[in-house]
Structure formats: C-alpha cells, structure tokens
Amino acid sequence: MSNEAVLHANVEGATAHDAHHDHGEHHEHHHHETFISKYVFSMDHKMIAKQFLITGMVWAILGGLMSVLFRLELGYPDTKFMFLQDILGKWWVQDGRITAQAYYALVTTHGTVLVFFVLTAGLSGTFANFLIPLQVGARDMASPFLNMLSYWFFFMASVVMLSSIFVETGPFSGGWTAYPPLSALRDASPGSGRGMDLWVIAMALFVVSSLLGGLNYIVTILNMRTKGMSMTRLPLTIWALFFTAVLGVLSFPVLLSGFILLIFDRNFGTSFYLSDIFVNGVGALPNEGGNAILFQHLFWFLGHPEVYIILLPAMGMVSEILSVNSRKPIFGYMAMVGSLFAIAILAFLVWAHHMFVTGLNPLLGSIFVLLTLLIAVPSAIKVFNWLTTLWRGNIRFTPAMMFAIGFVSLFISGGLTGIWLGNSALDIHLHDTMFVVAHFHIVMGVASMFGMFAGIYHWYPKMYGRYLNNTLGYIHFWVTMAGAYLIFWPMHYEGLAGMPRRYYSYSAWESFKQFGGLNQFISTVALIVFAVQILFLFNFFYSIWKGRKLTTQNPYGSNTLEWTTPIRPGHGNWTGEIPEVYRWAYDYAKDGREFIPQTTPVDPNETNH
Amino acid sequence: MMSTAASPERKRLHPHKFAMWVAMGAIIMMFAGLTSAYIVRSNQENWLEFSLPPVFWYSTIIILLSSLTMYLAVKAFKAREMPRYKILVTLTAILGLLFGASQFFGFFYLNGHGVQLLGQGSNPAASFIAVIAGLHILHVLGGVIALIVVFIRAYSSKIKRYNVTGIEIVSTYWHFVDILWIYLFIFFKLA
Ligand code: HEM
Ligand SMILES: [Cu+2]
C-alpha cells in the first residue's frame, strides 16, 4: 500500500473513531482546523512533537529546581534559608533547612522526572515524532490517533506525578529505582503511602505512553518510507530512533510486570518482594517468602536499556548534526548502524552490573563484567567515527554544532568511568557512592541533555520557521559545558573517597569534612548553570514569536528530506507528491559539490564512494 | 555504493497489522518477565507446591474452540456471508467470556482447597498464578472488546465496508492470546 493510501485510510479510520465521541463536527477536512484540533488534540506529528517538547521542558525546569534545592542542603548545610520556608512551607523546610523527608522526596522525584519525563518523553518523544515522518518521507505516523494517545497518556502521567508533590505525606522518597521494601510497604516511610500510590500510577501511565509511541515509531520507519528510501539510505537519526523504540517496546513491558507485582504487594497482601520484615512502630510483618532482589532484576532489565533509550536519540542527532556542520559525510555509516545495533543487543545483557553487591553469585558477576565491558567496543567505534567526521571538516560552529561536539566530549568522559564501574571488584568500593552519580550524570544526564539541545538548536527553524538567537545560544553552551564538568568532575573524587550517595547529612563523618568547601562550590555552580537554562528558556519562547525569520527552505544545505518541505509545513508535510529518494543522506563534499540532497537523482558520471 | 543501490517498492504489510505484531512482541516481553520472575523465585526456599485446578483443562478447550470460531468468522467475512459471520463473532466473544469465567472457577477452587492466592498469608507460588493468569484474562477481555468494536463498525456505517483488515488484526490477536494461554498452562504444569 502506498504512503498516500495509508495516510488516507488512517485519516478515515481515525475520524470514524472521532465520530463516536463528538458527533463528527470537525472530521470532514483537516484543512480548516479548530484551536482544539490543531493545538490540543492534534494528530499532526509535528504538533505532538512540540507538545512533548514543551511538557518535557516544564519538567526539566521543575526537576532542575528540585536539584538546586537539595544541592543547597548539601552545599550549605548550616545556612538558614528562611525565605524558602515561606515559599514551600514547613513540610519541606524547617528552621531554614530542607527537612530530611523533603530531601529524599526531592532526590527521588528529580531522578524519576529527569530520567523518564525529560530525557525519555521529552527527548525521544519530541524528536521521534518530529523527525521520523519528515526524514523517512511520510505524511504522518502510521497511526496518528495512537500517536495522539501517546502524548495524552504522558500528559496524564505528568499530572499524576505532579499531584504527588502536593499530598500531605509528600511524594515517594525511596529513590528513582523504587526498590522494595521502601516502595512496597506503606508504613516504611512517609512517602511510601499515598506518594508511592501516585508514583506507581504515573509510571504505569508513562509506560503505556512509551509503548504506544514506540509502536508507532517502529512501524512508521519500517513501513512508511518513501520511494527509494531503503534502510541503508536512512539518516542516522532515524536508525538511532528506531533502536530506541525497539529497546523501549521490549523493555518497558518488563518494568510494567515488576510494577504489577509491586502493586499487588502494596494493595492485595501478596509477598512477591517481602519477607521477614520488621517495621518500627508496627512490628513484625506477616509477609513470608518474598524476595526484594527480584524487583531489582525486573527493574534493571528495563533500567539498563532505559539509559540507552535516553542516549541513542542523542547519538543519532549528534551524528547528523556533526556531518551537516562539518560539510563531510559521516565517517563509517555502516559501522555507526552496526554499533547502534550492538549497543541495543548488549543493553539487554548487562543489567546485573547494577547489582554486583546484592549477593550476586561471583561467577555470574564476572560474566556480567565481561558483557558490560564489551559495550566499550561499539561505544569506542562511535566516538572514533565522530572524531574522524570532524577531522579536516569545514566546520561551522553553530550552537547546535557546539552542543554536538560537547556531547562527544561528555560521552568520552562518562564512558571511561563506566569501564571502572563495570569491573565488579572496583564496583564493590564504588557502588552507591558519588562516583556513580558523577558517572551517570556526565554520560547520560548531561550528554543526552546536550544531544537534546543540539537537536533543538538545529531543528528549531523547521519547528517554528524562525531561528533561535545565536549569541544567547553560545552563552548557554559555554556556561553549561563548563558548569557540567565543574559540577560533576569533583564528585568522582568524593566517590573514590567513599562518600555515599543519597545521604541527607554527612556531618557524622570526620572523613568527609574535607569536602565541605567542594560541596559548596558544586552547589554554587549548579545554581549558575540552572540560571543559564532560564536564559535558554527565554530564548526559546521569545524566538517563537520574535526570532529571525527563516527565509529559505534549506538553511544549512542539508541533504535530508525535512528540508524539502515548505518553510512552515502543514499537516501532511509536503504540498505535492512526497519526494522520491535516490541516494543516502550524506553526500557532502562529493565531486566538488558542497552537498547533494537525497532527492537528486544519481548522475551517471558521479563517482561511487 | 549506498547511493546507487536501487530499491524497488515492495508490497508492504498494512501498518496497523504490523503494529499489532510489534505490540504482541511487547506483550510477550511482559509475560516473559513475569514467568522468569516465577522461575527465579521458585528456585528459592518457602515455595508452596500444589497442583493446578482441573477446570484449567476446560479453559484450554474453550479457548482453543474460540480460536476455531474466530478462524471461521474471518472466513465467513471474506466470503461475504454476513449472517454466518455475525453468529461466529458472537460465539467467539461468548467463548472468550466463558474462558474468563472458567479461570475464575479455577481461582475459587484453589482458594477452597487451602491454596490462598492473595492477601495475608498467601504464598508467592499461588499469587504468581493469580497475577499471571489474571493479566492474561485481561488480555482476553481486551480481545472481546476489540471484537465488539469491529462488529459494530461493520454494521454501523451506511456504506457496508468489506475491509478485512480490522477483523484480521483482531483475529491475529485472538490466536495470539490463545497461544499465550497454552504457553502459560504448560509453563505452570512444568515449572
Ligand atoms: C562503557 C560504557 C559503560 C559502562 C561499562 C557502564 C557501567 C556502569 C555500572 C557498572 C554502573 C553501576 C554502578 C553502581 O551502581 O555501582 C553504572 C551505573 C549507571 N550508568 Fe553506566 N556504564 C556505561 C555507560 C553508560 C551510559 C552510556 C549510560 C547512559 C546513557 C549510563 C548510565 C548509567 C546510569 C544511569 C547509572 C546509575 C543508575 C543508578 O544507580 O541510579 N552508563 N554504569
Ligand atoms: Cu547499566
């Protein structure tokens, strides 16, 4: 079935469905759209992308703010912030100091929100939606209706998660990994009751959202490519988003199964994860025969793929942006695809490296060490190819390019510490210390955030028909880049010295007193970096209405299909026929031509490469 | 090399059908997660041994029958024998509901024979059965709802639509939950 026919069938199917709901007022033509159908219940993948992006940005600000709050506590444990008490109230701040329960609530919610809502939904939700149809040459997703549902499930998850912050006993506070018994017993901590109810509901909704989205991304990529767009002609962004979706569709259901057992333990008196537990003030619990480690297996079977779900889209966009702005073909296209594939496979085989100190059989542990260290191979291939793409390139240092290069730097730094942690012998010392915090923030948190920024700066003109302000972009880049290293690099030393993560107060340890000044420094930098993100936010919203207008279809001289659409594409993306594709996406600097778009037929005199 | 390779347009699977296959992959992963949790846990201490309720055999027969009626329903639809189709789809949905009921009888049977499924004092061995089979029942119910939807759709629109895609997707799913139950049944018997 051709693309056109499929889209047509979809629109028909989706509107027939609409008709059951609202008696089909607006289902005749999607040409005249109402405010509701255009901006709220939109089925246009480009609008849904923007919805994901902006919801993700709201969460990034909230989540970032939370980290600023708990960094204040870590950096300035003796300072009284009375004004915070006035704003937040007694539960959160007492005597000018973040309370212990608030601290744990903040750390937990920060982690959950950043990992799932910002770097999963905000990142792949945005760019998979935006780029897949545009770059494979489709008018929309395979099922625009499911796509819309995917956003609204995410929205509901967001509402539920947000509401958990306002319940009397506070949000869940047992860490983003939600290990039982803290997550399974209502009486284990203040956040384990209502807060955890809401947390788990929000996460279940989130899983549904991810599954609906992932389903659509996979089908669209495999099934709806335009004529001539063979898999090996796809831009690397699409390959990366494809593997991301596959990882999500195969691993989120396992997390869901873990959550389902958790819900039964919480609400129906079962003992999947519980055994031999004594709660202060309650006494010994009747639960027998459960196993808390079981949850860790189920969690990390998703949890590790999840970190690559976060990273791969960034990798894909960085590959594309590096190539376009070096005016050179990406180095080793097939190796890039192959290493993405290898990473996706290995991602399912290494989860127990998060569990080296759970009493795991050492023999099993060493197998997981081997498999974990194997990931270094495809990772190194990717780094090598990015660097060789840059090598002798005709580099244009746009803000997007700066963030893309920054991504490569961060990925190298954070990947190297992964190799430390992947050795179980070292991990016995480093597990649950600030070293781990440093590792994953650099390699995943900041790096993927950089990938996201790169993507936003690069595709903003396609999204809004205007440019972001470059000067603000450079300030944003340099402060964030320097700040990221200044914040997270010192944490390695703290971790090596044995300083544990997730502690409210370190004052009981003589040995960590030496880090008092360092912690102050880290917190101060965190505050500055946060402030610069506000600058970016200003740039983003200001430029939607006031930015410099895009005047050409293809501002960067890119080869990919999204730049063949009108400056402000409508629903359906191309006004005429969907263009046909004749070549791969990376014919830059070929035969003396600066770039050759994918839609240009191959000249018989062209050289092969 | 890459740029010159010609790619002829292939006849592709309908995207919605394809989406169903991917979704089935996701469902398989969920049950794989649960059954491997079952294996991990069953290898540890304090694991209650008991035999499955005999009525599960009837469940198995019922769901197999429903697959047969589903298959015949699609055949009837393709042959445009709408009255026959109507009967067969209704029959399939009823068999689906019967399956769910028979499973519940099984649960009550276990509870009646001292194997507590949920609540205080329940052993994970029994709770696993309840959760896994329970989730499977939900999937069957989802199939029943889908059947009702395609059924209504085929009759509500003024122009009769003889588009088989919808019913084919539902039937694929129906056979899938059937096979899923067979897998779970064998798994519970052996593990
Ligand atoms: C060569 C590559 C890598 C290796 C060998 C590696 C290894 C490890 C190991 C062994 C841990 C567990 C540390 C512990 O808890 O004691 C860990 C934690 C973590 N890694 Fe990596 N890693 C690598 C790359 C990455 C990448 C690319 C990402 C994300 C994009 C990532 C994200 C994380 C996260 C989020 C955690 C911490 C989870 C938590 O406990 O909260 N890692 N890594
Ligand atoms: Cu991992």
Short mmCIF file of all heavy atoms in Angstrom, two decimals, chain A residues 199-233:
data_model
loop_
_atom_site.label_atom_id
_atom_site.label_comp_id
_atom_site.label_asym_id
_atom_site.label_seq_id
_atom_site.Cartn_x
_atom_site.Cartn_y
_atom_site.Cartn_z
N TRP A 199 2.97 7.69 42.49
CA TRP A 199 4.18 7.46 41.69
C TRP A 199 3.96 6.27 40.76
O TRP A 199 4.25 6.33 39.57
CB TRP A 199 5.36 7.19 42.62
CG TRP A 199 6.72 7.17 41.98
CD1 TRP A 199 7.58 8.22 41.88
CD2 TRP A 199 7.37 6.04 41.36
NE1 TRP A 199 8.74 7.82 41.25
CE2 TRP A 199 8.64 6.50 40.92
CE3 TRP A 199 7.04 4.71 41.15
CZ2 TRP A 199 9.56 5.67 40.27
CZ3 TRP A 199 7.95 3.89 40.49
CH2 TRP A 199 9.19 4.37 40.06
N VAL A 200 3.43 5.20 41.31
CA VAL A 200 3.33 3.98 40.51
C VAL A 200 2.22 4.12 39.45
O VAL A 200 2.36 3.63 38.33
CB VAL A 200 3.15 2.73 41.42
CG1 VAL A 200 1.73 2.50 41.80
CG2 VAL A 200 3.73 1.50 40.75
N ILE A 201 1.17 4.86 39.78
CA ILE A 201 0.14 5.10 38.76
C ILE A 201 0.74 5.94 37.63
O ILE A 201 0.56 5.64 36.44
CB ILE A 201 -1.07 5.84 39.37
CG1 ILE A 201 -1.80 4.92 40.35
CG2 ILE A 201 -2.03 6.30 38.28
CD1 ILE A 201 -2.86 5.64 41.16
N ALA A 202 1.46 6.99 38.01
CA ALA A 202 2.07 7.85 37.00
C ALA A 202 3.00 7.04 36.11
O ALA A 202 2.99 7.17 34.88
CB ALA A 202 2.84 8.99 37.66
N MET A 203 3.78 6.17 36.72
CA MET A 203 4.73 5.40 35.92
C MET A 203 4.03 4.39 35.02
O MET A 203 4.46 4.14 33.90
CB MET A 203 5.75 4.70 36.83
CG MET A 203 6.78 5.63 37.41
SD MET A 203 7.65 6.60 36.18
CE MET A 203 8.40 5.30 35.23
N ALA A 204 2.94 3.82 35.51
CA ALA A 204 2.20 2.88 34.65
C ALA A 204 1.64 3.61 33.43
O ALA A 204 1.74 3.13 32.30
CB ALA A 204 1.08 2.21 35.45
N LEU A 205 1.09 4.81 33.67
CA LEU A 205 0.59 5.60 32.54
C LEU A 205 1.74 5.94 31.60
O LEU A 205 1.61 5.91 30.37
CB LEU A 205 -0.05 6.90 33.05
CG LEU A 205 -1.36 6.74 33.81
CD1 LEU A 205 -1.74 8.04 34.49
CD2 LEU A 205 -2.45 6.32 32.84
N PHE A 206 2.88 6.22 32.19
CA PHE A 206 4.04 6.57 31.37
C PHE A 206 4.45 5.39 30.49
O PHE A 206 4.79 5.57 29.31
CB PHE A 206 5.20 7.01 32.25
CG PHE A 206 6.39 7.43 31.46
CD1 PHE A 206 6.45 8.70 30.94
CD2 PHE A 206 7.41 6.54 31.17
CE1 PHE A 206 7.53 9.09 30.16
CE2 PHE A 206 8.48 6.92 30.40
CZ PHE A 206 8.54 8.19 29.89
N VAL A 207 4.43 4.20 31.06
CA VAL A 207 4.81 3.02 30.28
C VAL A 207 3.86 2.86 29.09
O VAL A 207 4.29 2.60 27.96
CB VAL A 207 4.80 1.75 31.16
CG1 VAL A 207 4.94 0.50 30.31
CG2 VAL A 207 5.92 1.82 32.18
N VAL A 208 2.56 3.06 29.34
CA VAL A 208 1.61 2.95 28.23
C VAL A 208 1.94 3.97 27.15
O VAL A 208 1.98 3.66 25.96
CB VAL A 208 0.17 3.15 28.75
CG1 VAL A 208 -0.81 3.19 27.59
CG2 VAL A 208 -0.20 2.06 29.72
N SER A 209 2.22 5.19 27.58
CA SER A 209 2.58 6.23 26.61
C SER A 209 3.79 5.82 25.78
O SER A 209 3.79 5.94 24.55
CB SER A 209 2.86 7.54 27.35
OG SER A 209 3.68 8.38 26.59
N SER A 210 4.82 5.32 26.45
CA SER A 210 6.03 4.93 25.73
C SER A 210 5.75 3.80 24.75
O SER A 210 6.29 3.79 23.64
CB SER A 210 7.09 4.42 26.69
OG SER A 210 7.50 5.43 27.51
N LEU A 211 4.92 2.85 25.17
CA LEU A 211 4.64 1.72 24.29
C LEU A 211 3.89 2.17 23.05
O LEU A 211 4.22 1.78 21.93
CB LEU A 211 3.86 0.64 25.03
CG LEU A 211 4.65 -0.11 26.10
CD1 LEU A 211 3.76 -1.07 26.86
CD2 LEU A 211 5.81 -0.86 25.47
N LEU A 212 2.87 3.01 23.26
CA LEU A 212 2.10 3.48 22.10
C LEU A 212 3.01 4.25 21.16
O LEU A 212 2.95 4.10 19.93
CB LEU A 212 0.95 4.38 22.56
CG LEU A 212 -0.17 3.69 23.33
CD1 LEU A 212 -1.17 4.71 23.82
CD2 LEU A 212 -0.84 2.67 22.43
N GLY A 213 3.86 5.11 21.73
CA GLY A 213 4.77 5.88 20.90
C GLY A 213 5.73 4.96 20.15
O GLY A 213 5.86 5.03 18.93
N GLY A 214 6.38 4.06 20.89
CA GLY A 214 7.39 3.20 20.30
C GLY A 214 6.84 2.35 19.16
O GLY A 214 7.46 2.21 18.11
N LEU A 215 5.66 1.82 19.39
CA LEU A 215 4.96 1.03 18.37
C LEU A 215 4.87 1.80 17.05
O LEU A 215 5.22 1.31 15.99
CB LEU A 215 3.54 0.81 18.90
CG LEU A 215 2.84 -0.46 18.57
CD1 LEU A 215 3.47 -1.54 19.42
CD2 LEU A 215 1.38 -0.33 18.97
N ASN A 216 4.41 3.02 17.19
CA ASN A 216 4.23 3.87 16.03
C ASN A 216 5.55 4.18 15.34
O ASN A 216 5.64 4.18 14.12
CB ASN A 216 3.64 5.19 16.52
CG ASN A 216 2.31 5.45 15.91
OD1 ASN A 216 2.10 5.11 14.75
ND2 ASN A 216 1.43 6.05 16.66
N TYR A 217 6.58 4.47 16.13
CA TYR A 217 7.87 4.84 15.54
C TYR A 217 8.40 3.67 14.72
O TYR A 217 8.85 3.83 13.59
CB TYR A 217 8.89 5.23 16.61
CG TYR A 217 8.41 6.28 17.59
CD1 TYR A 217 8.91 6.34 18.89
CD2 TYR A 217 7.45 7.23 17.22
CE1 TYR A 217 8.47 7.30 19.79
CE2 TYR A 217 7.01 8.18 18.12
CZ TYR A 217 7.51 8.21 19.40
OH TYR A 217 7.06 9.14 20.30
N ILE A 218 8.33 2.46 15.32
CA ILE A 218 8.87 1.29 14.62
C ILE A 218 8.12 1.06 13.31
O ILE A 218 8.72 0.90 12.25
CB ILE A 218 8.75 0.04 15.51
CG1 ILE A 218 9.64 0.18 16.74
CG2 ILE A 218 9.11 -1.22 14.74
CD1 ILE A 218 9.48 -0.93 17.74
N VAL A 219 6.80 1.07 13.40
CA VAL A 219 6.02 0.77 12.21
C VAL A 219 6.23 1.84 11.14
O VAL A 219 6.36 1.53 9.95
CB VAL A 219 4.52 0.65 12.58
CG1 VAL A 219 3.69 0.45 11.33
CG2 VAL A 219 4.32 -0.50 13.53
N THR A 220 6.29 3.09 11.56
CA THR A 220 6.48 4.15 10.58
C THR A 220 7.81 3.99 9.86
O THR A 220 7.90 4.13 8.64
CB THR A 220 6.40 5.52 11.26
OG1 THR A 220 5.22 5.58 12.03
CG2 THR A 220 6.39 6.63 10.23
N ILE A 221 8.86 3.68 10.63
CA ILE A 221 10.17 3.57 9.99
C ILE A 221 10.22 2.37 9.06
O ILE A 221 10.74 2.45 7.95
CB ILE A 221 11.28 3.48 11.07
CG1 ILE A 221 11.38 4.78 11.84
CG2 ILE A 221 12.62 3.15 10.42
CD1 ILE A 221 12.28 4.73 13.04
N LEU A 222 9.67 1.25 9.49
CA LEU A 222 9.78 0.06 8.67
C LEU A 222 8.81 0.06 7.50
O LEU A 222 9.06 -0.55 6.48
CB LEU A 222 9.57 -1.19 9.52
CG LEU A 222 10.68 -1.49 10.51
CD1 LEU A 222 10.42 -2.80 11.23
CD2 LEU A 222 12.04 -1.56 9.81
N ASN A 223 7.71 0.76 7.66
CA ASN A 223 6.61 0.54 6.73
C ASN A 223 6.25 1.73 5.85
O ASN A 223 5.57 1.59 4.86
CB ASN A 223 5.37 0.17 7.54
CG ASN A 223 4.80 -1.14 7.10
OD1 ASN A 223 4.93 -1.49 5.95
ND2 ASN A 223 4.20 -1.87 8.00
N MET A 224 6.65 2.91 6.24
CA MET A 224 6.12 4.08 5.55
C MET A 224 7.20 4.93 4.90
O MET A 224 7.00 6.12 4.69
CB MET A 224 5.31 4.93 6.54
CG MET A 224 4.41 4.10 7.39
SD MET A 224 2.66 4.46 7.36
CE MET A 224 2.50 6.14 7.04
N ARG A 225 8.33 4.34 4.61
CA ARG A 225 9.37 5.13 3.96
C ARG A 225 8.95 5.47 2.53
O ARG A 225 8.25 4.69 1.88
CB ARG A 225 10.68 4.34 3.95
CG ARG A 225 11.40 4.38 5.27
CD ARG A 225 12.51 3.37 5.33
NE ARG A 225 11.97 2.03 5.53
CZ ARG A 225 12.28 0.99 4.79
NH1 ARG A 225 13.13 1.11 3.80
NH2 ARG A 225 11.73 -0.19 5.04
N THR A 226 9.41 6.60 2.04
CA THR A 226 9.05 7.00 0.69
C THR A 226 9.80 6.15 -0.32
O THR A 226 10.71 5.39 0.02
CB THR A 226 9.34 8.48 0.46
OG1 THR A 226 8.88 8.84 -0.84
CG2 THR A 226 10.83 8.77 0.55
N LYS A 227 9.39 6.29 -1.56
CA LYS A 227 10.01 5.52 -2.63
C LYS A 227 11.51 5.79 -2.67
O LYS A 227 11.94 6.93 -2.64
CB LYS A 227 9.37 5.93 -3.95
CG LYS A 227 9.68 5.03 -5.08
CD LYS A 227 8.53 5.00 -6.10
CE LYS A 227 8.88 4.05 -7.21
NZ LYS A 227 9.12 4.69 -8.48
N GLY A 228 12.28 4.72 -2.74
CA GLY A 228 13.72 4.88 -2.85
C GLY A 228 14.44 4.95 -1.52
O GLY A 228 15.66 4.85 -1.46
N MET A 229 13.68 5.15 -0.42
CA MET A 229 14.33 5.27 0.88
C MET A 229 14.56 3.88 1.46
O MET A 229 13.80 3.39 2.29
CB MET A 229 13.46 6.12 1.82
CG MET A 229 14.08 6.36 3.19
SD MET A 229 15.56 7.35 3.14
CE MET A 229 14.86 9.00 3.33
N SER A 230 15.64 3.22 0.99
CA SER A 230 15.95 1.92 1.56
C SER A 230 16.50 2.14 2.96
O SER A 230 16.89 3.26 3.31
CB SER A 230 16.98 1.20 0.69
OG SER A 230 18.12 2.00 0.58
N MET A 231 16.56 1.09 3.75
CA MET A 231 17.03 1.24 5.12
C MET A 231 18.44 1.83 5.16
O MET A 231 18.78 2.61 6.04
CB MET A 231 17.03 -0.11 5.85
CG MET A 231 15.66 -0.66 6.16
SD MET A 231 14.63 0.39 7.20
CE MET A 231 15.19 -0.05 8.86
N THR A 232 19.28 1.45 4.21
CA THR A 232 20.66 1.94 4.24
C THR A 232 20.78 3.35 3.71
O THR A 232 21.87 3.89 3.64
CB THR A 232 21.59 1.03 3.43
OG1 THR A 232 20.97 0.78 2.17
CG2 THR A 232 21.84 -0.28 4.15
N ARG A 233 19.68 3.95 3.32
CA ARG A 233 19.74 5.36 2.95
C ARG A 233 19.19 6.25 4.06
O ARG A 233 19.11 7.46 3.91
CB ARG A 233 18.94 5.60 1.69
CG ARG A 233 19.63 5.05 0.45
CD ARG A 233 18.76 5.26 -0.76
NE ARG A 233 19.43 4.75 -1.95
CZ ARG A 233 18.81 4.63 -3.12
NH1 ARG A 233 17.55 5.00 -3.24
NH2 ARG A 233 19.47 4.18 -4.15
#
